[in-house]
Short mmCIF file of all heavy atoms in Angstrom, two decimals:
data_model
loop_
_atom_site.label_atom_id
_atom_site.label_comp_id
_atom_site.label_asym_id
_atom_site.label_seq_id
_atom_site.Cartn_x
_atom_site.Cartn_y
_atom_site.Cartn_z
N ILE A 104 -4.61 36.99 28.22
CA ILE A 104 -3.86 37.63 29.30
C ILE A 104 -2.90 38.68 28.74
O ILE A 104 -2.77 39.78 29.28
CB ILE A 104 -3.10 36.57 30.12
CG1 ILE A 104 -4.11 35.66 30.85
CG2 ILE A 104 -2.15 37.23 31.11
CD1 ILE A 104 -3.49 34.48 31.53
N ALA A 105 -2.23 38.36 27.63
CA ALA A 105 -1.28 39.30 27.04
C ALA A 105 -1.95 40.62 26.68
O ALA A 105 -1.41 41.70 26.96
CB ALA A 105 -0.64 38.68 25.80
N VAL A 106 -3.13 40.56 26.06
CA VAL A 106 -3.80 41.78 25.65
C VAL A 106 -4.42 42.51 26.85
O VAL A 106 -4.26 43.73 27.01
CB VAL A 106 -4.88 41.48 24.58
CG1 VAL A 106 -5.68 42.74 24.25
CG2 VAL A 106 -4.23 40.94 23.32
N LEU A 107 -5.12 41.75 27.70
CA LEU A 107 -5.80 42.40 28.82
C LEU A 107 -4.82 43.02 29.81
O LEU A 107 -5.08 44.08 30.37
CB LEU A 107 -6.69 41.38 29.54
CG LEU A 107 -7.88 40.86 28.71
CD1 LEU A 107 -8.58 39.73 29.45
CD2 LEU A 107 -8.87 41.98 28.40
N ARG A 108 -3.66 42.37 30.01
CA ARG A 108 -2.64 42.91 30.92
C ARG A 108 -1.62 43.78 30.20
O ARG A 108 -0.65 44.23 30.79
CB ARG A 108 -1.94 41.76 31.66
CG ARG A 108 -2.85 40.87 32.51
CD ARG A 108 -3.75 41.65 33.47
NE ARG A 108 -3.01 42.54 34.35
CZ ARG A 108 -2.60 42.21 35.59
NH1 ARG A 108 -2.85 40.99 36.07
NH2 ARG A 108 -1.95 43.08 36.32
N GLU A 109 -1.83 43.99 28.88
CA GLU A 109 -1.04 44.92 28.07
C GLU A 109 0.44 44.54 27.99
O GLU A 109 1.33 45.40 27.96
CB GLU A 109 -1.21 46.36 28.60
CG GLU A 109 -2.65 46.83 28.61
CD GLU A 109 -2.80 48.28 29.05
OE1 GLU A 109 -1.87 49.08 28.83
OE2 GLU A 109 -3.86 48.61 29.63
N PHE A 110 0.72 43.26 27.91
CA PHE A 110 2.11 42.81 27.80
C PHE A 110 2.83 43.38 26.58
O PHE A 110 4.00 43.78 26.69
CB PHE A 110 2.18 41.29 27.80
CG PHE A 110 1.89 40.65 29.14
CD1 PHE A 110 1.76 39.28 29.25
CD2 PHE A 110 1.76 41.41 30.29
CE1 PHE A 110 1.52 38.68 30.48
CE2 PHE A 110 1.51 40.83 31.52
CZ PHE A 110 1.38 39.46 31.61
N PRO A 111 2.19 43.42 25.39
CA PRO A 111 2.92 43.99 24.24
C PRO A 111 3.36 45.44 24.48
O PRO A 111 4.48 45.82 24.13
CB PRO A 111 1.91 43.90 23.09
CG PRO A 111 1.02 42.74 23.47
CD PRO A 111 0.89 42.85 24.97
N GLY A 112 2.49 46.24 25.10
CA GLY A 112 2.85 47.63 25.37
C GLY A 112 3.98 47.74 26.38
O GLY A 112 4.88 48.59 26.23
N PHE A 113 3.97 46.89 27.39
CA PHE A 113 5.05 46.90 28.37
C PHE A 113 6.37 46.42 27.76
O PHE A 113 7.45 46.88 28.14
CB PHE A 113 4.68 46.06 29.58
CG PHE A 113 3.63 46.68 30.47
CD1 PHE A 113 2.48 45.99 30.81
CD2 PHE A 113 3.81 47.96 30.97
CE1 PHE A 113 1.52 46.56 31.63
CE2 PHE A 113 2.85 48.54 31.80
CZ PHE A 113 1.70 47.84 32.13
N THR A 114 6.27 45.51 26.79
CA THR A 114 7.48 45.06 26.09
C THR A 114 8.09 46.21 25.30
O THR A 114 9.31 46.40 25.29
CB THR A 114 7.15 43.88 25.16
OG1 THR A 114 6.66 42.79 25.94
CG2 THR A 114 8.39 43.43 24.40
N ASP A 115 7.24 46.98 24.62
CA ASP A 115 7.73 48.16 23.89
C ASP A 115 8.38 49.16 24.84
O ASP A 115 9.44 49.74 24.54
CB ASP A 115 6.59 48.83 23.13
CG ASP A 115 6.08 48.00 21.97
OD1 ASP A 115 6.83 47.10 21.52
OD2 ASP A 115 4.95 48.24 21.51
N ALA A 116 7.76 49.36 26.00
CA ALA A 116 8.32 50.30 26.98
C ALA A 116 9.66 49.79 27.51
O ALA A 116 10.58 50.58 27.76
CB ALA A 116 7.34 50.50 28.13
N GLN A 117 9.76 48.47 27.69
CA GLN A 117 11.03 47.89 28.15
C GLN A 117 12.15 48.18 27.15
O GLN A 117 13.27 48.53 27.54
CB GLN A 117 10.87 46.39 28.34
CG GLN A 117 12.14 45.67 28.77
CD GLN A 117 11.95 44.16 28.89
OE1 GLN A 117 10.83 43.68 28.95
NE2 GLN A 117 13.05 43.44 28.91
N ARG A 118 11.84 48.04 25.86
CA ARG A 118 12.86 48.32 24.84
C ARG A 118 13.30 49.78 24.88
O ARG A 118 14.46 50.10 24.59
CB ARG A 118 12.31 47.98 23.46
CG ARG A 118 12.07 46.50 23.22
CD ARG A 118 11.88 46.21 21.74
NE ARG A 118 11.51 44.83 21.52
CZ ARG A 118 10.27 44.40 21.28
NH1 ARG A 118 9.28 45.28 21.23
NH2 ARG A 118 10.02 43.12 21.07
N ARG A 119 12.36 50.66 25.24
CA ARG A 119 12.69 52.08 25.30
C ARG A 119 13.31 52.47 26.65
O ARG A 119 13.73 53.60 26.84
CB ARG A 119 11.42 52.93 25.08
CG ARG A 119 10.78 52.75 23.72
CD ARG A 119 9.71 53.81 23.49
NE ARG A 119 8.67 53.79 24.53
CZ ARG A 119 7.53 53.11 24.46
NH1 ARG A 119 7.28 52.34 23.39
NH2 ARG A 119 6.64 53.17 25.44
N GLY A 120 13.30 51.52 27.59
CA GLY A 120 13.81 51.82 28.92
C GLY A 120 12.90 52.73 29.71
O GLY A 120 13.36 53.53 30.53
N GLU A 121 11.57 52.58 29.52
CA GLU A 121 10.60 53.44 30.20
C GLU A 121 9.79 52.65 31.22
O GLU A 121 9.36 51.53 30.95
CB GLU A 121 9.65 54.07 29.17
CG GLU A 121 10.33 54.99 28.17
CD GLU A 121 9.34 55.59 27.18
OE1 GLU A 121 8.12 55.40 27.37
OE2 GLU A 121 9.79 56.22 26.22
N TRP A 122 9.60 53.25 32.38
CA TRP A 122 8.80 52.65 33.46
C TRP A 122 7.40 53.23 33.37
O TRP A 122 7.11 54.32 33.87
CB TRP A 122 9.44 52.98 34.81
CG TRP A 122 8.84 52.27 35.98
CD1 TRP A 122 7.85 52.72 36.81
CD2 TRP A 122 9.20 50.98 36.47
NE1 TRP A 122 7.56 51.80 37.78
CE2 TRP A 122 8.38 50.71 37.60
CE3 TRP A 122 10.14 50.01 36.06
CZ2 TRP A 122 8.48 49.53 38.32
CZ3 TRP A 122 10.23 48.84 36.80
CH2 TRP A 122 9.41 48.60 37.90
N THR A 123 6.48 52.50 32.68
CA THR A 123 5.16 53.05 32.36
C THR A 123 4.09 52.45 33.27
O THR A 123 3.19 51.74 32.81
CB THR A 123 4.82 52.78 30.89
OG1 THR A 123 4.91 51.36 30.65
CG2 THR A 123 5.77 53.52 29.96
N TYR A 124 4.18 52.75 34.56
CA TYR A 124 3.21 52.19 35.52
C TYR A 124 1.80 52.70 35.24
O TYR A 124 1.58 53.90 35.07
CB TYR A 124 3.60 52.56 36.95
CG TYR A 124 2.54 52.13 37.94
CD1 TYR A 124 2.52 50.83 38.44
CD2 TYR A 124 1.53 53.01 38.32
CE1 TYR A 124 1.53 50.43 39.32
CE2 TYR A 124 0.53 52.60 39.20
CZ TYR A 124 0.53 51.31 39.70
OH TYR A 124 -0.46 50.89 40.55
N HIS A 125 0.86 51.77 35.20
CA HIS A 125 -0.55 52.11 35.15
C HIS A 125 -1.37 50.85 35.38
O HIS A 125 -0.87 49.74 35.26
CB HIS A 125 -0.94 52.76 33.81
CG HIS A 125 -0.71 51.86 32.61
ND1 HIS A 125 0.51 51.76 31.98
CD2 HIS A 125 -1.54 51.03 31.94
CE1 HIS A 125 0.42 50.91 30.96
NE2 HIS A 125 -0.83 50.45 30.92
N HIS A 126 -2.62 51.03 35.74
CA HIS A 126 -3.52 49.89 35.90
C HIS A 126 -3.84 49.29 34.53
O HIS A 126 -3.91 50.01 33.53
CB HIS A 126 -4.81 50.31 36.59
CG HIS A 126 -4.65 50.51 38.07
ND1 HIS A 126 -5.67 50.29 38.97
CD2 HIS A 126 -3.59 50.90 38.80
CE1 HIS A 126 -5.25 50.54 40.19
NE2 HIS A 126 -3.98 50.92 40.12
N THR A 127 -4.07 47.99 34.51
CA THR A 127 -4.45 47.30 33.28
C THR A 127 -5.77 46.56 33.49
O THR A 127 -6.31 46.54 34.60
CB THR A 127 -3.37 46.26 32.88
OG1 THR A 127 -3.42 45.16 33.80
CG2 THR A 127 -1.98 46.87 32.88
N GLY A 128 -6.24 45.96 32.42
CA GLY A 128 -7.38 45.07 32.54
C GLY A 128 -6.98 43.76 33.21
O GLY A 128 -5.81 43.55 33.56
N VAL A 129 -7.95 42.88 33.36
CA VAL A 129 -7.69 41.59 34.01
C VAL A 129 -8.69 40.58 33.49
O VAL A 129 -9.81 40.94 33.09
CB VAL A 129 -7.78 41.73 35.55
CG1 VAL A 129 -9.21 42.03 35.98
CG2 VAL A 129 -7.24 40.49 36.26
N LEU A 130 -8.30 39.31 33.47
CA LEU A 130 -9.21 38.26 33.01
C LEU A 130 -10.24 37.90 34.07
O LEU A 130 -11.38 37.54 33.75
CB LEU A 130 -8.39 37.02 32.62
CG LEU A 130 -9.13 35.86 31.95
CD1 LEU A 130 -9.91 36.33 30.73
CD2 LEU A 130 -8.15 34.76 31.57
N ALA A 131 -9.88 37.98 35.33
CA ALA A 131 -10.79 37.64 36.42
C ALA A 131 -12.09 38.44 36.34
O ALA A 131 -12.08 39.62 35.96
CB ALA A 131 -10.11 37.88 37.77
N ASP A 132 -13.19 37.79 36.68
CA ASP A 132 -14.53 38.38 36.69
C ASP A 132 -15.08 38.66 35.30
O ASP A 132 -16.09 39.36 35.16
CB ASP A 132 -14.55 39.68 37.52
CG ASP A 132 -14.10 39.47 38.96
OD1 ASP A 132 -14.29 38.36 39.48
OD2 ASP A 132 -13.54 40.41 39.55
N SER A 133 -14.42 38.15 34.25
CA SER A 133 -14.89 38.35 32.88
C SER A 133 -15.87 37.27 32.47
O SER A 133 -15.90 36.17 33.03
CB SER A 133 -13.70 38.32 31.90
OG SER A 133 -12.80 39.36 32.15
N THR A 134 -16.65 37.58 31.44
CA THR A 134 -17.47 36.59 30.75
C THR A 134 -16.78 36.24 29.44
O THR A 134 -16.55 37.13 28.61
CB THR A 134 -18.88 37.12 30.46
OG1 THR A 134 -19.56 37.36 31.70
CG2 THR A 134 -19.69 36.13 29.64
N VAL A 135 -16.41 34.98 29.30
CA VAL A 135 -15.71 34.50 28.10
C VAL A 135 -16.70 33.69 27.26
O VAL A 135 -17.20 32.66 27.71
CB VAL A 135 -14.48 33.65 28.46
CG1 VAL A 135 -13.81 33.15 27.20
CG2 VAL A 135 -13.50 34.46 29.31
N LEU A 136 -16.94 34.16 26.07
CA LEU A 136 -17.87 33.50 25.15
C LEU A 136 -17.06 32.67 24.16
O LEU A 136 -16.29 33.21 23.37
CB LEU A 136 -18.70 34.55 24.41
CG LEU A 136 -19.69 34.08 23.34
CD1 LEU A 136 -20.75 33.16 23.93
CD2 LEU A 136 -20.34 35.29 22.68
N ILE A 137 -17.22 31.35 24.22
CA ILE A 137 -16.50 30.45 23.31
C ILE A 137 -17.44 30.10 22.15
O ILE A 137 -18.46 29.44 22.34
CB ILE A 137 -16.06 29.16 24.03
CG1 ILE A 137 -15.12 29.50 25.20
CG2 ILE A 137 -15.37 28.22 23.05
CD1 ILE A 137 -14.71 28.28 26.03
N VAL A 138 -17.09 30.57 20.96
CA VAL A 138 -17.90 30.34 19.77
C VAL A 138 -17.25 29.21 18.97
O VAL A 138 -16.22 29.39 18.33
CB VAL A 138 -18.01 31.61 18.92
CG1 VAL A 138 -18.94 31.38 17.72
CG2 VAL A 138 -18.50 32.78 19.76
N GLY A 139 -17.85 28.03 19.04
CA GLY A 139 -17.29 26.82 18.45
C GLY A 139 -16.84 25.91 19.56
O GLY A 139 -15.65 25.76 19.83
N TYR A 140 -17.80 25.28 20.23
CA TYR A 140 -17.50 24.50 21.42
C TYR A 140 -17.29 23.03 21.06
O TYR A 140 -18.08 22.15 21.39
CB TYR A 140 -18.61 24.65 22.46
CG TYR A 140 -18.23 24.14 23.84
CD1 TYR A 140 -17.29 24.80 24.60
CD2 TYR A 140 -18.81 22.99 24.35
CE1 TYR A 140 -16.93 24.34 25.86
CE2 TYR A 140 -18.47 22.51 25.60
CZ TYR A 140 -17.52 23.19 26.35
OH TYR A 140 -17.17 22.72 27.60
N GLY A 141 -16.18 22.79 20.33
CA GLY A 141 -15.78 21.42 20.04
C GLY A 141 -14.68 21.00 21.00
O GLY A 141 -14.61 21.46 22.14
N SER A 142 -13.77 20.14 20.53
CA SER A 142 -12.73 19.63 21.42
C SER A 142 -11.76 20.73 21.86
O SER A 142 -11.30 20.73 23.01
CB SER A 142 -11.97 18.48 20.75
OG SER A 142 -11.26 18.94 19.59
N ILE A 143 -11.47 21.69 20.98
CA ILE A 143 -10.58 22.79 21.38
C ILE A 143 -11.29 23.71 22.36
O ILE A 143 -10.70 24.16 23.35
CB ILE A 143 -10.08 23.57 20.15
CG1 ILE A 143 -9.24 22.67 19.24
CG2 ILE A 143 -9.24 24.77 20.59
CD1 ILE A 143 -8.78 23.34 17.96
N GLY A 144 -12.56 23.98 22.12
CA GLY A 144 -13.33 24.80 23.04
C GLY A 144 -13.40 24.18 24.42
O GLY A 144 -13.30 24.88 25.44
N GLN A 145 -13.58 22.87 24.46
CA GLN A 145 -13.61 22.18 25.75
C GLN A 145 -12.25 22.25 26.44
O GLN A 145 -12.16 22.44 27.66
CB GLN A 145 -14.04 20.73 25.54
CG GLN A 145 -15.47 20.59 25.07
CD GLN A 145 -15.78 19.22 24.52
OE1 GLN A 145 -15.22 18.22 24.96
NE2 GLN A 145 -16.67 19.15 23.53
N ALA A 146 -11.16 22.10 25.65
CA ALA A 146 -9.82 22.22 26.21
C ALA A 146 -9.58 23.63 26.74
O ALA A 146 -8.92 23.81 27.78
CB ALA A 146 -8.78 21.86 25.15
N LEU A 147 -10.09 24.64 26.05
CA LEU A 147 -9.95 26.00 26.51
C LEU A 147 -10.68 26.20 27.84
O LEU A 147 -10.14 26.82 28.76
CB LEU A 147 -10.50 26.97 25.46
CG LEU A 147 -10.58 28.44 25.86
CD1 LEU A 147 -9.21 28.98 26.27
CD2 LEU A 147 -11.17 29.27 24.73
N GLU A 148 -11.89 25.68 27.93
CA GLU A 148 -12.64 25.86 29.19
C GLU A 148 -11.90 25.21 30.36
O GLU A 148 -11.86 25.77 31.46
CB GLU A 148 -14.05 25.28 29.07
CG GLU A 148 -14.86 25.50 30.33
CD GLU A 148 -16.32 25.12 30.21
OE1 GLU A 148 -16.70 24.51 29.19
OE2 GLU A 148 -17.08 25.43 31.14
N ARG A 149 -11.31 24.04 30.12
CA ARG A 149 -10.54 23.39 31.20
C ARG A 149 -9.39 24.28 31.66
O ARG A 149 -9.09 24.37 32.85
CB ARG A 149 -10.01 22.04 30.73
CG ARG A 149 -11.08 20.98 30.53
CD ARG A 149 -10.49 19.60 30.41
NE ARG A 149 -9.60 19.44 29.27
CZ ARG A 149 -10.00 19.07 28.05
NH1 ARG A 149 -11.30 18.88 27.81
NH2 ARG A 149 -9.14 18.93 27.06
N ARG A 150 -8.74 24.95 30.72
CA ARG A 150 -7.61 25.82 31.08
C ARG A 150 -8.06 27.13 31.70
O ARG A 150 -7.27 27.77 32.41
CB ARG A 150 -6.74 26.05 29.84
CG ARG A 150 -5.86 24.84 29.54
CD ARG A 150 -5.44 24.74 28.09
NE ARG A 150 -4.62 23.56 27.90
CZ ARG A 150 -5.10 22.32 27.75
NH1 ARG A 150 -6.42 22.11 27.78
NH2 ARG A 150 -4.28 21.30 27.59
N LEU A 151 -9.28 27.52 31.46
CA LEU A 151 -9.81 28.73 32.10
C LEU A 151 -10.29 28.47 33.51
O LEU A 151 -10.51 29.42 34.27
CB LEU A 151 -10.96 29.30 31.26
CG LEU A 151 -10.58 29.98 29.95
CD1 LEU A 151 -11.82 30.29 29.13
CD2 LEU A 151 -9.77 31.25 30.20
N ASP A 152 -10.45 27.21 33.86
CA ASP A 152 -10.87 26.88 35.22
C ASP A 152 -9.81 27.37 36.20
O ASP A 152 -8.64 27.05 36.09
CB ASP A 152 -11.04 25.36 35.35
CG ASP A 152 -11.62 24.97 36.69
OD1 ASP A 152 -12.42 25.74 37.24
OD2 ASP A 152 -11.24 23.89 37.20
N GLY A 153 -10.23 28.17 37.17
CA GLY A 153 -9.28 28.74 38.11
C GLY A 153 -8.99 30.21 37.84
O GLY A 153 -8.41 30.89 38.70
N PHE A 154 -9.37 30.72 36.66
CA PHE A 154 -9.17 32.13 36.35
C PHE A 154 -10.36 32.99 36.81
O PHE A 154 -10.36 34.20 36.56
CB PHE A 154 -8.92 32.33 34.86
CG PHE A 154 -7.51 32.06 34.44
CD1 PHE A 154 -7.14 30.81 33.96
CD2 PHE A 154 -6.53 33.04 34.55
CE1 PHE A 154 -5.83 30.55 33.57
CE2 PHE A 154 -5.22 32.80 34.17
CZ PHE A 154 -4.86 31.54 33.68
N GLU A 155 -11.35 32.37 37.41
CA GLU A 155 -12.49 33.09 37.97
C GLU A 155 -13.25 33.85 36.88
O GLU A 155 -13.49 35.06 36.98
CB GLU A 155 -12.03 34.03 39.09
CG GLU A 155 -11.34 33.28 40.22
CD GLU A 155 -10.78 34.20 41.29
OE1 GLU A 155 -11.23 35.35 41.40
OE2 GLU A 155 -9.86 33.75 42.02
N VAL A 156 -13.60 33.13 35.83
CA VAL A 156 -14.38 33.71 34.74
C VAL A 156 -15.67 32.91 34.57
O VAL A 156 -15.78 31.76 35.02
CB VAL A 156 -13.60 33.69 33.41
CG1 VAL A 156 -12.32 34.49 33.53
CG2 VAL A 156 -13.30 32.26 32.95
N ASP A 157 -16.65 33.53 33.94
CA ASP A 157 -17.87 32.84 33.54
C ASP A 157 -17.73 32.46 32.07
O ASP A 157 -17.43 33.31 31.23
CB ASP A 157 -19.09 33.74 33.71
CG ASP A 157 -19.39 34.04 35.17
OD1 ASP A 157 -19.21 33.14 36.01
OD2 ASP A 157 -19.80 35.18 35.47
N VAL A 158 -17.91 31.18 31.77
CA VAL A 158 -17.78 30.69 30.40
C VAL A 158 -19.17 30.46 29.81
O VAL A 158 -20.02 29.79 30.42
CB VAL A 158 -16.96 29.38 30.36
CG1 VAL A 158 -16.97 28.80 28.94
CG2 VAL A 158 -15.53 29.63 30.83
#
Side-chain angles (χ1 to χ4, degrees):
I104 294 172
V106 174
L107 294 172
R108 300 309 305 266
E109 302 183 30
F110 287 172
F113 287 126
T114 298
D115 290 341
Q117 178 183 343
R118 293 194 186 101
R119 298 191 303 268
E121 296 180 8
W122 188 266
T123 56
Y124 174 84
H125 61 275
H126 283 210
T127 71
V129 67
L130 187 54
D132 302 331
S133 297
T134 295
V135 179
L136 177 61
I137 300 176
V138 184
Y140 193 70
S142 64
I143 297 176
Q145 294 165 32
L147 173 58
E148 182 172 9
R149 291 195 298 272
R150 283 156 180 81
L151 287 171
D152 186 33
F154 279 94
E155 301 175 21
V156 300
D157 293 324
V158 174

